[in-house]
Structures are given as structure tokens and as C-alpha cells.
Amino acid sequence: MTDHALLLVNLGSPNSPEVDDVRRYLNQFLMDPYVIDLPWPVRRLLVSLILIKRPAASAHAYSSIWWEDGSPLLVLSKRLQAAMREQWTQGPVELAMRYGEPSIESVLLRMAEQGIRNITLAPLYPQFADSTTTTVIEEARRVVRKHNLPVQFSLLQPFYDQPEYLDALVDSAKPYLEQDFDHVLLSFHGLPESHIRKLVNPIDPKHDLLATNTAGISDAVMAKCYRSQCLRVGEVFAERMGLKPEQWSVAFQSRLGKNKWIEPYTEATIDELAQRGVKKLLVMCPAFVADCIETLEEIGMRGAEQFIEAGGESLQLVPCVNDHPSWVSALGTLVRRAVPLS
């Protein structure tokens, strides 16, 4: 009887903060049709233009947060992998990155060589989006087809609404909310509106992408609407932490290009909160389970500087769940609920 393996998959990062490594990483990331959903020739032209200047700027940002033992995202993901070995006793626990190394392809090939036939695929994204969950699934399927691997997958479903995940989010953030603060901003990664419209319009073409709460949103729309899932996380978190409506808000960060992205934007919200008189701001990033450039540099450094320049006193980044014991336990429960991937 062969082992049943657990494969954790996160986004990925460059091999180093050097410009050439960052360029290679960005090229792979941006050329994914689930990230930039344009025809290949148009996407190739657009990405080539982006890669003229962006690698140098991104390399500078990566250098500012790079740890002695490597990329924070990769280091934290490895720590989670190690902790999950106590939770997953059916076989090995492996780690792959959708972009960069270790690649999904290299890890799947190694597992196949070891005789592993059953794999629970665990994309480490609480909310669903084609640019996160779907691209991981399709890359795993591509590798299986390419190499004719005799592998069967089970899939960890998006877990934004699962009590275990929400409990872990609360547990990991609670020490920070026990300090003195004026406002909690839940900043999620942004997404072009078109990515959501493509999925949601066949269900409800009138779905409001400016809604401020999830009241009245059907289960069918909720399952496909990344923005609504983010709002739901914010609502449940605020309720569990006893936050008043004026004490918390949701916004979306990391815009790229000139497309219309979901709102409100984090940058604008940070300025508005400072101008409103908020002095001590806590920022959480619940689209991520591991701290990375989008949390450590974009929010923890640039966001903090922006908030102070706008009149605030301090911006405290609340760490992601990372390898917090509550999250390790929660993930252990969630992966055991994985469903067969057809």
C-alpha cells in the first residue's frame, strides 16, 4: 500500500533578490494566463514592457525584507511543512511553489518516483480565485498529463468560511488587538474586477462589486466571488473580536496595470483613516497565510510610512497565521476534509 502524501502549495518567490532572479520569477508569474487573462501575444507584449523596469524596483523591495535564510515566504512555508508532519500521518508532507522553486512539476515527479499514487493537493489560499486556486490545480493536471503520472488528487477547498481557519486567524491576531489601537484594517490582495465578473455574471449579472457587506449574497455567488469571501472574513473576524463597525474596515492592495480592480483600495484607505483621525492602525492581510513581500514590504514598510506621512502615529502589521499552532492544527483538520479532484 502506497503512502498518501500531502502537498502544500504557495505562491512562490524569486530564488534571490537579485534583478535577474526577480525578472525570471516575474516573467513566469505574469505570463500565467490565470494571472493576466489576455491572449498570448498581447500578454507577451504587456509582460515584456512590464519587465523593462519592474524587476529592478521589485528586487529593491525583496532586498528590504529578505531574511538571512532566504525568502520569508519560502522560509515560513517550510516551517509550516515541518509542523504539518505531526498532523499528517498518512505519508510524506511536501511543499511546492506555483512560481519559482520548488516547482509543482519537480515535486510531483519526485513523489511519483517514490511510488506515491494518492496526493492531497493543498493550495494555501483561504479565498478562491482563478489566479490562485485554479492555476495550482491546472498546473498539477498539466504535469500529470505531460508525464502520464499514475496519480490521484484530493483537493483542499477554499477555507475562508471554515471555523477552524477563522479560529486560527482570531487566535493569531488576538495579542495585537489586546494592545492600544484605534482601527483594524483587513487588507486583502486585490484582483481585477474582470476576473470576478467572468465567474459571477453567469450566476448574477447584477452582483454588486461595491457592496459593503455580504447580506443577501447567494451561496452560488459567494462560492465564486473573491471579494465577497474577503468581506465575509472581515465580518466574522470583527464579530468574534467584538469590534464596532467604526473600528474596522476591508480594503484591497497590490494593484498592477490600468485595469479596474476591486475597491476600496488599501492605499486610499490608509490616507482616509489618517485624515479621519485614526492614530494607531493595525493592518492584517488575511488573503495570505504566510508573510511575504506584499505584507512585510508593501504594508509593513511602505504602508507604515504612508500612514505616518498622512498624519497617523503608528501602523502595526499583524503577522499572518504563518506556523502559529492554532493554524497548524486547523490546517490538519482542513486537509482531512479534502474532496476528490475529478
Side-chain angles (χ1 to χ4, degrees):
M1 184 175 179
T2 56
D3 287 338
H4 184 150
L6 173 63
L7 176 56
L8 307 173
V9 183
N10 215 326
L11 185 73
S13 65
N15 289 336
S16 81
E18 298 299 319
V19 174
D20 286 347
D21 281 338
V22 173
R23 181 179 289 109
R24 277 190 290 271
Y25 170 77
L26 288 176
N27 183 67
Q28 184 188 12
F29 171 58
L30 296 173
M31 282 302 296
D32 184 344
Y34 289 104
V35 174
I36 297 181
D37 56 349
L38 295 171
W40 189 92
V42 181
R43 187 167 71 252
R44 181 66 271 172
L45 176 60
L46 176 61
V47 172
S48 295
L49 292 172
I50 292 172
L51 293 180
I52 294 173
K53 293 185 177 180
R54 185 151 183 121
S58 293
H60 177 75
Y62 275 109
S63 296
S64 70
I65 56 102
W66 207 260
W67 291 352
E68 187 174 332
D69 43 356
S71 156
L73 174 66
L74 184 56
V75 172
L76 291 166
S77 296
K78 287 180 177 178
R79 290 178 187 172
L80 178 63
Q81 175 192 11
M84 285 301 295
R85 291 191 175 115
E86 294 185 9
Q87 295 284 329
W88 184 266
T89 58
Q90 303 175 53
V93 178
E94 299 288 351
L95 173 68
M97 297 289 153
R98 176 60 186 91
Y99 314 104
E101 300 295 335
S103 68
I104 293 174
E105 184 164 17
S106 66
V107 175
L108 287 179
L109 287 174
R110 176 161 48 79
M111 294 165 79
E113 290 174 359
Q114 295 169 352
I116 293 170
R117 300 292 179 262
N118 295 295
I119 299 172
T120 289
L121 186 64
L124 295 174
Y125 307 108
Q127 300 83 25
F128 170 81
D130 276 344
S131 56
T132 53
T133 307
T134 302
T135 190
V136 167
I137 295 169
E138 292 307 313
E139 174 64 6
R141 284 173 168 160
R142 184 194 69 81
V143 172
V144 168
R145 288 193 303 268
K146 176 183 176 182
H147 299 282
N148 195 27
L149 302 181
V151 169
Q152 291 185 322
F153 290 110
S154 296
L155 178 69
L156 169 65
Q157 302 286 321
F159 44 86
Y160 71 96
D161 60 346
Q162 295 302 296
E164 294 84 1
Y165 162 69
L166 293 164
D167 286 345
L169 191 63
V170 168
D171 284 350
S172 65
K174 190 176 293 182
Y176 295 86
L177 273 75
E178 289 173 348
Q179 302 171 16
D180 186 26
F181 70 93
D182 298 323
H183 194 89
V184 180
L185 176 62
L186 292 94
S187 179
F188 294 83
H189 198 284
L191 204 66
E193 283 192 0
S194 60
H195 284 211
I196 297 177
R197 285 289 175 209
K198 180 172 60 177
L199 299 172
V200 169
N201 279 7
I203 305 169
D204 180 5
K206 296 182 179 180
H207 176 60
D208 184 7
L209 283 180
L210 292 175
T212 57
N213 59 66
T214 63
I217 296 177
S218 70
D219 291 344
V221 169
M222 182 66 70
K224 297 293 185 181
C225 182
Y226 170 85
R227 186 179 185 277
S228 298
Q229 294 178 7
C230 295
L231 290 178
R232 180 64 57 83
V233 171
E235 290 168 351
V236 175
F237 179 83
E239 180 182 1
R240 293 199 181 191
M241 293 303 301
L243 299 177
K244 300 174 183 176
E246 65 274 13
Q247 288 184 300
W248 69 280
S249 53
V250 166
F252 300 92
Q253 64 184 86
S254 310
R255 285 177 291 153
L256 176 67
K258 297 180 180 179
N259 288 350
K260 184 75 169 67
W261 285 55
I262 52 177
E263 298 184 45
Y265 300 141
T266 294
E267 284 186 5
T269 302
I270 286 175
D271 283 342
E272 290 166 7
L273 289 170
Q275 291 160 9
R276 204 173 81 190
V278 170
K279 296 300 182 184
K280 297 181 179 180
L281 178 63
L282 297 180
V283 184
M284 301 172 58
C285 301
F288 306 96
V289 298
D291 279 304
C292 52
I293 191 168
E294 287 87 355
T295 68
L296 298 171
E297 192 272 340
E298 186 177 349
I299 300 298
M301 298 173 70
R302 280 190 286 138
E305 183 178 340
Q306 177 194 345
F307 182 63
I308 292 170
E309 288 179 354
E313 290 181 0
S314 66
L315 184 154
Q316 170 72 60
L317 174 67
V318 178
C320 293
V321 287
N322 292 326
D323 59 342
H324 190 282
S326 293
W327 166 231
V328 173
S329 177
L331 184 56
T333 299
L334 294 171
V335 293
R336 288 191 285 273
R337 292 188 196 142
V339 299
L341 181 61
S342 56

